[in-house]
Amino acid sequence: MRTGVELFIQNMTGLGFETLLEAELVIYKVVALDGAYTGRPVETGVAIGELEAWPHVPPHWLHFPGSVRFSQTNSQPSPKSGWLMHSRQITGWGDAQAGIAWASHVRAVLSEAVA
């Protein structure tokens, strides 16, 4: 049986995202569709510990470089130096495949970035 981390990496890789394990995070780049980073790839990550129940339970925290800023956010230092983790709740996947729903969630949050 595969772990949640393995399934997450498999899902994201299958969608064309290159993943990297670093600082207890799975890191990958997402191209922003709107906001301050429109059209640019932005590194983001999710904590390995939050992926234990993947794909049954969505992770809560989104990790971004400290340069990615939001007008309103609840943030804490990330395990990755110079990064912050931002609290964003997603209640479920709906009818979408979990990896697609997660990437869409990250893009939606990233569209709120002001710098």
Side-chain angles (χ1 to χ4, degrees):
M1 181 176 198
R2 293 184 183 218
T3 68
V5 173
E6 291 169 329
L7 289 171
F8 180 82
I9 290 171
Q10 179 184 3
N11 286 171
M12 298 307 281
T13 302
L15 294 170
F17 294 94
E18 293 182 28
T19 61
L20 168 70
L21 292 172
E22 182 182 338
E24 297 298 313
L25 301 177
V26 178
I27 298 173
Y28 50 94
K29 291 182 181 177
V30 172
V31 175
L33 301 178
D34 199 10
Y37 292 90
T38 301
R40 298 186 344 208
V42 177
E43 275 192 312
T44 183
V46 61
I48 290 170
E50 282 205 274
L51 293 172
E52 290 177 15
W54 180 269
H56 306 290
V57 179
H60 177 78
W61 293 94
L62 299 174
H63 298 248
F64 293 108
S67 58
V68 176
R69 298 182 188 222
F70 300 92
S71 60
Q72 294 184 333
T73 191
N74 176 17
S75 65
Q76 296 178 12
S78 170
K80 183 167 170 57
S81 180
W83 282 39
L84 293 172
M85 53 190 216
H86 300 270
S87 173
R88 294 295 192 277
Q89 188 66 37
I90 180 174
T91 57
W93 307 126
D95 294 333
Q97 186 265 348
I100 292 170
W102 180 252
S104 296
H105 174 63
V106 174
R107 284 189 174 111
V109 170
L110 192 54
S111 74
E112 300 171 8
V114 295

